[in-house]
Amino acid sequence: MKLADSTAGAVAQRHSGGPAVTAALDEMVLLEPVHVGDIVRTFAQVNWAGRSSMEIGVRVEAQPWGSAADEPLHVASAYFVFVAIDADGRSRPVPGLMPETPTEVRRLREAEIRRAHRLARKEEIDRGRRA
Ligand SMILES: CC(C)(COP(=O)(O)OP(=O)(O)OC[C@H]1O[C@@H](n2cnc3c(N)ncnc32)[C@H](O)[C@@H]1OP(=O)(O)O)[C@@H](O)C(=O)NCCC(=O)NCCS
């Protein structure tokens, strides 16, 4: 989780051109066990960008120790929400996204679905607490 968060943070900082903090871990799925000695690598990209927040998708792969010729295993995926902040810790604007490839368009559409669910869940919980 730390590795995925660090990778997402690097991508968020690169996209936003400055500091960005983890605001939420939306979902993390663990698909395969990782064993001591496996070589782990991470890949991440900005799926969606709002005013100051970004959804970063992370893929974690592991190359099993002792079987370097095998294809790496997809062992985990996660979606983080990062918020770009200024020197005072307040949110600051980030560049928008211009998806070009079909994969980028798909990632953006799916990130919008997750964001809509996230907001709807929060709204429903808040309403229940006010009642
Ligand atoms: C993240 C943080 C800066 C947001 O502060 P805030 O006062 O809610 O800021 P704003 O109201 O301006 O909202 C900023 C953005 O964050 C988003 N946001 C805030 N909390 C969120 C959450 N829990 N989940 C998803 N998005 C969230 C808002 O939707 C908004 O997005 P937008 O600008 O793209 O529309 C603040 O909560 C914070 O500093 N949290 C601690 C972060 C931290 O310490 N992380 C661990 C170390 S990296």
Side-chain angles (χ1 to χ4, degrees):
M1 288 177 79
K2 174 78 176 84
L3 186 60
D5 182 50
S6 299
T7 308
V11 168
Q13 296 195 29
R14 193 182 304 154
H15 179 77
S16 66
V21 291
T22 318
L25 169 53
D26 196 45
E27 179 184 316
M28 182 160 205
V29 287
L30 304 170
L31 303 166
E32 301 279 350
V34 179
H35 301 101
V36 172
D38 289 354
I39 300 163
V40 177
R41 56 186 187 175
T42 52
F43 304 84
Q45 71 288 318
V46 183
N47 290 335
W48 174 92
R51 187 194 69 82
S52 67
S53 64
M54 300 154 275
E55 188 201 86
I56 316 290
V58 183
R59 177 187 172 96
V60 185
E61 292 185 353
Q63 184 74 53
W65 176 249
S67 59
D70 291 351
E71 284 294 305
L73 291 172
H74 179 195
V75 294
S77 284
Y79 300 104
F80 290 85
V81 179
F82 272 75
V83 176
I85 55 165
D86 62 20
D88 299 318
R90 282 190 298 263
S91 61
R92 63 181 171 87
V94 299
L97 273 194
M98 298 283 281
E100 286 170 4
T101 67
T103 300
E104 289 170 352
V105 171
R106 175 184 61 75
R107 283 178 176 150
L108 182 73
R109 190 185 65 242
E110 292 175 0
E112 281 171 346
I113 294 169
R114 281 187 292 273
R115 179 175 163 81
H117 281 229
R118 206 182 295 131
L119 293 176
R121 188 178 57 207
K122 183 173 185 315
E123 167 65 27
E124 195 169 341
I125 288 171
D126 288 349
R127 197 174 337 113
R129 288 184 179 185
R130 283 196 302 270

